[in-house]
């Protein structure tokens, strides 16, 4: 933390001698006079005007970490580790210029007023939408690739071919949901759960379409498996002293004749795969027992962005796992909800979609963490990983493809720390949008990534 304060002081000192509005500074690495120099501009909110003498004299504390100058500092630090690695390990000739651009449009105007900007190959930032709009127009006019590191809004790439959006939109989750169902859950009953006021109606329609197009009409279950399942349930009911019919068994909205199943033990029985839409506000989960299967997996796709709703659904679905085999896909971003008990998530075999997934057992992640600790004396936050990934990807692309980087984004790939970039264009005149989502499942007290193949064409 103390070293972070020192870093901010150093950045402020670098501004001395420049005009009062020039919130920038240079890193010239390698042979800057060479023809293969990459010119990169980073526009990141540093709020350097707030880093005055009084700020620097304060004793470092947790309250200081909540001040504006620390808002995006970890992103900057992660980006600079990528810069160091590219220059020192890969021999990149880099002319990097950093501009302090926050949500003040005047800072953005000052930045694009710098004559150096005309030489830029790539601009990363600004982070806030109004300054970004100004710089985006400048980038389009001057044929410069501009990267938005933070917004999920797809409309920023519409009719702006020089814009690259690295945060995937929620709509692109449907691509991965389709792949997930095709690969693993096409023979399941499916329950689509939403709640009034907490769902995107258009998104729910898309989810329903994906399910209808990829679920098998019927599934076949071996009679031997059915008989074994029935025996387990009847044994449990006997222990609980629950009355039941020993000759019939109700599941999947059908009644099964147990003696007939035993006589045809080597055969199989077909079951219709139901698609059940549930409005949680009106129905809760009352319809589940009517259609759910005791014999095979039931897939729940729960869509909602409210913590209270998430808690309620998790509690009720966890109780259902005592009777039914289920898997729950939690959309759009339940990874942002804390205190959802891992024990419950494992019982539900919960599946998350996350744009940031950091595997702290990974060698490359551990290496980054150690570098970050050594250089900055603190633990890297998520922004640090994001900063590194964006820096590492676009600096590599710039090094190897220079002015042609825009033409290869749909195919270019390098290993990253907490995500991947799969870029595609929605229209010929649009910019590139990342559509990649990490998909992982809670199993064996761990988060296990699910490999899914999609196309970005």
């Amino acid at each position: 933390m103390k070293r972070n304060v020192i870093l901010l002081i150093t950045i402020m000192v670098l501004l001395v001698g420049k005009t009062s509005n020039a919130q920038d500074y240079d890193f010239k690495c390698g042979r800057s006079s060479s023809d293969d120099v990459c010119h990169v501009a980073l526009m990141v909110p540093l709020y350097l005007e707030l880093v005055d003498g009084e700020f620097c004299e304060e004793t470092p504390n947790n309250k200081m970490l909540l001040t504006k100058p620390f808002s995006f500092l970890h992103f900057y630090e992660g980006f600079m580790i990528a810069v160091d690695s590219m220059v020192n390990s890969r021999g990149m000739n880099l002319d990097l210029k950093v501009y302090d651009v926050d949500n003040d449009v005047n800072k953005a105007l000052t930045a694009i007023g710098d004559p150096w900007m005309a030489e830029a190959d790539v601009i990363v930032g600004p982070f806030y939408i109004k300054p970004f709009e100004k710089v985006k127009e400048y980038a389009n006019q001057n044929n410069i690739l501009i990267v938005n590191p933070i917004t999920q809004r797809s409309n920023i790439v519409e009719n702006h071919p020089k814009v690259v959006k690295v945060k995937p939109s929620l709509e692109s989750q449907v691509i991965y949901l389709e792949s997930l169902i095709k690969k693993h859950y096409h023979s399941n009953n499916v329950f689509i759960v939403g709640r009034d006021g907490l769902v995107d109606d258009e998104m729910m329609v898309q989810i329903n379409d994906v399910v209808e197009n990829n679920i098998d009409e019927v599934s076949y279950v071996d009679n031997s498996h059915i008989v074994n399942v029935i025996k387990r349930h009847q044994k449990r009911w006997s222990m609980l002293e629950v009355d039941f019919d020993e000759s019939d068994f109700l599941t999947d909205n059908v009644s099964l004749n147990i003696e007939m199943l035993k006589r045809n033990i080597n055969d199989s029985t077909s079951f219709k795969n139901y698609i059940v839409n549930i409005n949680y506000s009106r129905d809760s989960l009352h319809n589940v027992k009517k259609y759910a299967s005791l014999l095979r997996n039931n897939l729940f796709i729960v869509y909602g962005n409210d913590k209270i709703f998430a808690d309620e659904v998790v509690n009720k679905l966890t109780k259902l796992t005592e009777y039914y085999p289920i898997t729950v896909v939690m959309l759009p971003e339940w990874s942002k909800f804390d205190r959802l008990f891992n024990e419950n998530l494992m019982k539900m075999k919960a599946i998350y979609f996350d744009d940031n997934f950091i595997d702290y057992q990974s060698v490359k992640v551990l290496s980054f963490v150690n570098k970050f600790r050594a250089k900055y004396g603190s633990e890297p936050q998520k922004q640090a990983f994001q900063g590194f990934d964006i820096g590492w990807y676009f600096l590599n692309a710039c090094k190897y493809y220079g002015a042609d980087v825009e033409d290869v984004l749909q195919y270019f790939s390098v290993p990253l720390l907490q995500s991947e970039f799969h870029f595609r264009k929605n229209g010929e005149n649009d910019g590139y949008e990342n559509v990649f989502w990490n998909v992982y499942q809670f199993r064996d007290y761990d988060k296990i990534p699910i490999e899914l193949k999609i196309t970005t064409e």
Side-chain angles (χ1 to χ4, degrees):
M1 159 80 146
K2 187 174 182 180
R3 295 184 68 172
N4 282 341
V5 176
I6 294 172
L7 174 64
L8 280 171
I9 297 171
T10 304
I11 294 172
M12 184 179 69
V13 170
L14 287 169
L15 295 177
V16 174
K18 296 183 180 291
T19 61
S20 58
N21 291 326
Q23 305 275 338
D24 59 48
Y25 57 100
D26 296 319
F27 291 86
K28 288 191 172 65
C29 310
R31 302 187 307 277
S32 59
S33 59
S34 171
D35 292 336
D36 63 354
V37 172
C38 293
H39 300 85
V40 178
L42 172 62
M43 298 186 181
V44 60
L46 294 172
Y47 299 97
L48 295 181
E49 70 277 7
L50 301 180
V51 188
D52 53 18
E54 183 178 343
F55 181 92
C56 299
E57 290 172 3
E58 284 188 37
T59 302
N61 53 51
N62 290 332
K63 184 178 179 180
M64 182 179 285
L65 292 176
L66 301 177
T67 59
K68 286 184 176 180
F70 284 95
S71 300
F72 296 95
L73 183 60
H74 273 238
F75 182 96
Y76 165 81
E77 292 171 337
F79 192 96
M80 292 309 299
I81 288 180
V83 168
D84 290 345
S85 297
M86 288 300 300
V87 171
N88 296 321
S89 300
R90 300 209 169 185
M92 182 180 191
N93 293 319
L94 174 64
D95 186 1
L96 170 68
K97 198 159 191 179
V98 181
Y99 297 85
D100 174 18
V101 179
D102 46 53
N103 56 351
D104 184 349
V105 173
N106 290 324
K107 288 186 176 182
L109 295 174
T110 298
I112 60 179
D114 182 354
W116 178 92
M117 284 294 298
E119 300 181 40
D121 299 300
V122 178
I123 302 171
V124 177
F127 284 53
Y128 292 101
I129 195 63
K130 288 184 178 179
F132 184 84
E133 292 292 332
K134 294 293 183 183
V135 181
K136 177 178 72 174
E137 296 300 331
Y138 175 88
N140 283 335
Q141 294 167 8
N142 291 274
N143 200 35
I144 303 170
L145 200 69
I146 179 169
V147 179
N148 188 296
I150 201 168
T151 188
Q152 286 186 323
R153 293 168 47 181
S154 294
N155 61 353
I156 67 164
V157 302
E158 294 175 2
N159 296 314
H160 289 283
K162 308 306 293 187
V163 175
V164 182
K165 184 174 81 70
V166 299
K167 280 277 189 181
S169 64
L170 298 182
E171 290 76 12
S172 63
Q173 290 182 342
V174 174
I175 304 170
Y176 285 86
L177 180 63
E178 181 171 30
S179 180
L180 180 70
I181 292 173
K182 279 183 178 179
K183 186 174 182 179
H184 297 291
Y185 301 104
H186 56 89
S187 61
N188 286 202
N189 281 328
V190 181
F191 299 86
I192 304 172
V193 183
R195 182 175 179 177
D196 287 343
L198 300 178
V199 299
D200 181 332
D201 291 339
E202 184 177 342
M203 188 70 168
M204 294 299 285
V205 170
Q206 291 184 47
I207 290 172
N208 196 77
D209 288 345
V210 163
V211 172
E212 288 184 350
N213 293 333
N214 293 284
I215 291 294
D216 300 336
E217 185 174 347
V218 297
S219 293
Y220 293 89
V221 182
D222 291 341
N223 288 348
S224 58
H225 171 74
I226 297 174
V227 170
N228 287 333
V229 171
I230 291 174
K231 286 180 179 178
R232 288 200 303 269
H233 281 282
Q234 289 185 340
K235 182 179 180 180
R236 182 185 183 194
W237 295 334
S238 295
M239 293 175 61
L240 295 173
E241 298 183 350
V242 175
D243 292 332
F244 61 90
D245 187 340
E246 294 186 6
S247 61
D248 290 305
F249 187 80
L250 182 62
T251 181
D252 295 79
N253 204 29
V254 296
S255 180
L256 300 175
N257 184 292
I258 299 174
E259 289 303 317
M260 185 174 293
L261 290 170
K262 290 178 178 179
R263 287 198 297 268
N264 298 278
I265 197 69
N266 295 320
D267 204 346
S268 61
T269 301
S270 64
F271 294 90
K272 176 180 174 58
N273 289 321
Y274 292 101
I275 302 173
V276 182
N277 285 275
I278 297 175
N279 182 334
Y280 187 83
S281 301
R282 183 181 64 242
D283 305 320
S284 186
L285 298 178
H286 297 309
N287 285 337
V288 170
K289 292 182 179 180
K290 180 177 180 181
Y291 296 100
S293 178
L294 292 162
L295 309 172
R296 56 207 172 89
N297 195 59
N298 302 275
L299 180 67
F300 286 79
I301 302 172
V302 184
Y303 195 94
N305 54 13
D306 178 78
K307 179 63 164 57
I308 296 175
F309 169 66
D311 286 333
E312 289 181 9
V313 169
V314 166
N315 289 335
K316 291 189 176 181
L317 288 177
T318 300
K319 292 178 181 177
L320 287 177
T321 62
E322 298 177 14
Y323 309 97
Y324 301 97
I326 69 173
T327 300
V328 186
V329 179
M330 298 173 159
L331 299 175
E333 295 180 286
W334 285 38
S335 60
K336 292 180 170 57
F337 298 146
D338 58 0
R339 297 180 183 178
L340 295 179
F341 294 112
N342 285 351
E343 192 77 31
N344 291 342
L345 297 176
M346 282 188 295
K347 287 180 180 178
M348 297 183 296
K349 297 191 284 290
I351 295 175
Y352 277 10
F353 286 28
D354 199 344
D355 61 343
N356 301 309
F357 175 66
I358 303 169
D359 180 4
Y360 285 96
Q361 296 179 355
S362 163
V363 172
K364 61 185 179 181
V365 168
L366 291 174
S367 175
F368 173 79
V369 171
N370 289 334
K371 287 180 182 178
F372 194 93
R373 289 170 178 166
K375 187 168 185 177
Y376 300 114
S378 63
E379 292 296 312
Q381 299 173 4
K382 277 188 177 182
Q383 283 189 5
F385 292 92
Q386 294 167 2
F388 178 88
D389 279 357
I390 290 174
W392 189 246
Y393 182 91
F394 287 98
L395 292 176
N396 270 284
C398 190
K399 171 179 169 60
Y400 292 112
Y401 296 98
D404 298 323
V405 61
E406 179 186 347
D407 300 327
V408 302
L409 287 180
Q410 197 164 351
Y411 315 102
F412 181 70
S413 178
V414 292
L416 303 176
L417 295 178
Q418 45 89 57
S419 188
E420 296 179 22
F421 293 155
H422 293 178
F423 291 112
R424 74 172 185 181
K425 284 191 172 189
N426 292 322
E428 185 177 349
N429 295 320
D430 293 340
Y432 280 100
E433 179 175 8
N434 179 31
V435 296
F436 180 81
W437 285 91
N438 296 286
V439 182
Y440 58 87
Q441 188 170 38
F442 285 82
R443 294 203 307 264
D444 301 325
Y445 295 92
D446 203 356
K447 298 175 182 177
I448 309 299
I450 301 175
E451 298 294 334
L452 299 172
K453 291 184 179 180
I454 66 163
T455 176
T456 56
E457 296 180 0

